[in-house]
Amino acid sequence: MIKAKQKDFKESGGTNMQSIDLKKIGNEIKVRRVKQGIQQTALAEMLDITQTHLSNIENGRVPGSLKLLLKLRSIFGCRLEDLVDPECDEAPVKANDKRMRRIKVIRYYENA
């Protein structure tokens, strides 16, 4: 039973999550870097990684960590979804959308 599960895990690429395309993520990082006129060495310094590691991420050879992706989000001024799923065209949630949670605002008044 355990060997069957390990086999399924290996056949799925080592993950049971939705397929992650490292080349698309890396390409999106590279496109945004070039559009902002940032050299690879400069971006690597901002991220506190080597230029070689950044090159490997941009070419889809290795995944970037969540911490690294969050730093990139701040540098590029985009959403995390824009980096990891550039083809996702979901519209932002509208105020009247049923999925949006309602939050009650309670005001406290000081009695003078």
Side-chain angles (χ1 to χ4, degrees), residues 46-96:
M46 289 184 229
L47 298 170
D48 198 29
I49 60 173
T50 65
Q51 181 270 330
T52 304
H53 186 60
L54 179 57
S55 175
N56 286 333
I57 292 169
E58 286 185 352
N59 290 304
R61 290 187 212 108
V62 296
S65 67
L66 178 59
K67 184 177 179 180
L68 182 117
L69 291 172
L70 292 172
K71 285 182 183 179
L72 286 168
R73 176 191 69 171
S74 297
I75 292 168
F76 295 144
C78 64
R79 300 176 310 161
L80 188 59
E81 296 85 17
D82 297 334
L83 292 173
V84 296
D85 192 9
E87 295 174 357
C88 179
D89 291 331
E90 287 185 16
V93 177
K94 297 180 181 176
N96 60 357

Side-chain angles (χ1 to χ4, degrees), residues 29-45:
I29 292 168
K30 184 175 184 176
V31 166
R32 288 177 182 272
R33 176 181 61 78
V34 170
K35 278 185 180 179
Q36 292 193 10
I38 303 172
Q39 291 186 354
Q40 199 174 52
T41 53
L43 182 58
E45 285 180 20

Side-chain angles (χ1 to χ4, degrees), residues 89-102:
D89 291 331
E90 287 185 16
V93 177
K94 297 180 181 176
N96 60 357
D97 193 337
K98 292 179 183 178
R99 294 176 292 168
M100 187 174 174
R101 290 190 284 167
R102 295 178 187 235

